[in-house]
C-alpha cells in the first residue's frame, strides 16, 4: 500500500508563493496518476491539479498560469508550486492517488495579511 506524506505548507501573505511536496512510500509511484486537492474551511475538497505518470497535467481554471504540478519519479515525489497566492486559496492541501482512496495527511496553507 502506498503511503503519502505532504510538506511545505505554511502562512504566506497574498501574492506570495509556496512549494508543496508529497513523497510516496513505494517505488510504484512512477505508475500512479497523482493529484493535489484543496479543502477550504466549510467547503468540499476540490481538485487543484493533476499529473499523469507520463507527465501530462491538468489544472483547475482558477489556478492556471499560477500553479505548476510536477513530479520526480526517482524521488517518488510530486510537487505543487503555487505563485501569486490569493486568500481564497487558503485551506488544507492534500496529495492524492487518483482513482483510489489513498490520501496524504494534508498540509495547511494559509494566505493572509
Amino acid at each position: 500500500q502506498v503511503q503519502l506524506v505532504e510538506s511545505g505548507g505554511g502562512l504566506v501573505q497574498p501574492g506570495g508563493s509556496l512549494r508543496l511536496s508529497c513523497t510516496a512510500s513505494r517505488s510504484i509511484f512512477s505508475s500512479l496518476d497523482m493529484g493535489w486537492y484543496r479543502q477550504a474551511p466549510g467547503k468540499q475538497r476540490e481538485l487543484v491539479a493533476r499529473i499523469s505518470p507520463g507527465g501530462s497535467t491538468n489544472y483547475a481554471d482558477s489556478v492556471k498560469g499560477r500553479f505548476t504540478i510536477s513530479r520526480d519519479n526517482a524521488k517518488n515525489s510530486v510537487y505543487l508550486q503555487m505563485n501569486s497566492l490569493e486568500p481564497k486559496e487558503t485551506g488544507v492541501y492534500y496529495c492524492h492517488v487518483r482513482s483510489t482512496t489513498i490520501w496524504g495527511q494534508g498540509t495547511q496553507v494559509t494566505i493572509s495579511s
Side-chain angles (χ1 to χ4, degrees):
Q1 187 70 260
V2 174
Q3 297 180 69
L4 307 174
V5 178
E6 301 107 327
S7 62
L11 174 65
V12 297
Q13 295 185 353
S17 297
L18 285 173
R19 183 176 175 86
L20 307 183
S21 297
C22 170
T23 299
S25 62
R26 298 274 295 277
S27 61
I28 196 66
F29 175 82
S30 63
S31 70
L32 303 178
D33 195 299
M34 303 294 298
W36 282 100
Y37 290 71
R38 174 178 61 236
Q39 188 159 24
K43 296 185 178 181
Q44 297 292 314
R45 193 172 297 183
E46 61 183 353
L47 179 66
V48 175
R50 169 259 183 182
I51 186 165
S52 75
S56 297
T57 59
N58 291 283
Y59 298 91
D61 287 343
S62 62
V63 308
K64 288 179 180 176
R66 297 186 297 113
F67 289 15
T68 302
I69 189 170
S70 62
R71 67 193 300 156
D72 185 339
N73 290 336
K75 297 180 179 179
N76 293 342
S77 295
V78 62
Y79 309 96
L80 185 67
Q81 177 67 46
M82 305 186 293
N83 298 326
S84 301
L85 283 162
E86 304 169 7
K88 68 180 180 181
E89 292 163 338
T90 290
V92 179
Y93 284 70
Y94 296 90
C95 185
H96 175 56
V97 181
R98 300 268 291 166
S99 301
T100 75
T101 57
I102 301 171
W103 297 84
Q105 83 286 353
T107 185
Q108 177 70 44
V109 173
T110 303
I111 304 101
S112 176
S113 298

